[in-house]
Structure formats: C-alpha cells, structure tokens
C-alpha cells in the first residue's frame, strides 16, 4: 500500500486522527504535544500516527492536506488544522461545537477548564 493510500485509509477509517511527531502518550515535539494534550485532556478517542516512523507518510500527509506543517488533525475525514488552529478553536469553543456536530464524545468540563486556565 502506498503512503497516499495508507493516509486516506487512516483518515477515512477513524472519526478523529492526529498525524503527529511521536505518539499521543509520548509526543516528540511541542506542537504535537499541545494538540495531543488538548485531545487527551478532553477525553477524545483518537488515532495517532507517528510521522517520524515513515518519511513517506511524513511528506505524504503534507501533500494530502496541502498543509506544510505537522501536527494535523482530521475529524470525520476532514482536515481541521494544525497546532495554532486547534489552539484557537479550543479557546473559542469552536472545537467543542465541531465535536458535538460530528457526534464525537468529549469531556465538556475539561474543555471549559482549558478555557478557564487560558482566559
């Protein structure tokens, strides 16, 4: 299976996917750590893909989304954004709204705590 096929299968086969450097339990860059930390704290069930394990996937995901940086978050097959966008969406409540609209389970109290701590 090519990297492109593998990426498409992962993105479409999981409700929430984070392409990141490292894993959700051991991120290997600050930006990946921030997004994984938000998702972990909010109790979101998501697949993590460590782009450091496969250079073809690392470049392939950038081509797939036409987005130059990692991490990249996908919800229900759609590219949502990278670290800055996810941070903004978390703080504005947009991420909660998107999860609710898409039927993604998350801890609303945890999301509110993130906003309170960063308010």
């Amino acid at each position: 299976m090519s990297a492109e096929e593998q990426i498409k299968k992962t993105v479409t086969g999981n409700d929430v996917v984070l392409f990141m450097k490292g894993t959700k339990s051991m991120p290997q860059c600050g930006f990946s750590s921030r997004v994984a930390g938000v998702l972990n704290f909010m109790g979101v069930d998501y697949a993590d893909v460590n782009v450091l394990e496969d250079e073809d996937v690392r470049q392939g995901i950038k081509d797939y989304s036409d987005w130059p940086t990692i991490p990249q978050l996908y919800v229900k097959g759609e590219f949502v954004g990278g670290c800055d966008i996810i941070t903004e969406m978390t703080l504005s409540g947009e991420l909660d709204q998107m999860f609710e609209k898409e039927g993604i389970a998350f801890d609303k109290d945890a999301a509110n705590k993130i906003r309170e701590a960063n308010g």
Side-chain angles (χ1 to χ4, degrees), residues 34-63:
R34 180 179 298 169
V35 177
V38 164
L39 296 174
N40 291 341
F41 191 74
M42 289 172 61
V44 175
D45 181 28
Y46 67 101
D48 56 337
V49 177
N50 183 357
V51 300
L52 299 177
E53 292 179 344
D54 188 333
E55 184 58 40
D56 290 339
V57 171
R58 185 177 184 171
Q59 183 57 47
I61 195 61
K62 295 174 186 180
D63 297 338

Side-chain angles (χ1 to χ4, degrees), residues 2-19:
S2 72
E4 184 179 347
E5 291 169 328
Q6 184 180 339
I7 289 165
K8 186 171 186 167
K9 183 178 177 186
T10 302
V11 167
T12 58
N14 295 279
D15 285 347
V16 183
V17 183
L18 181 62
F19 287 83

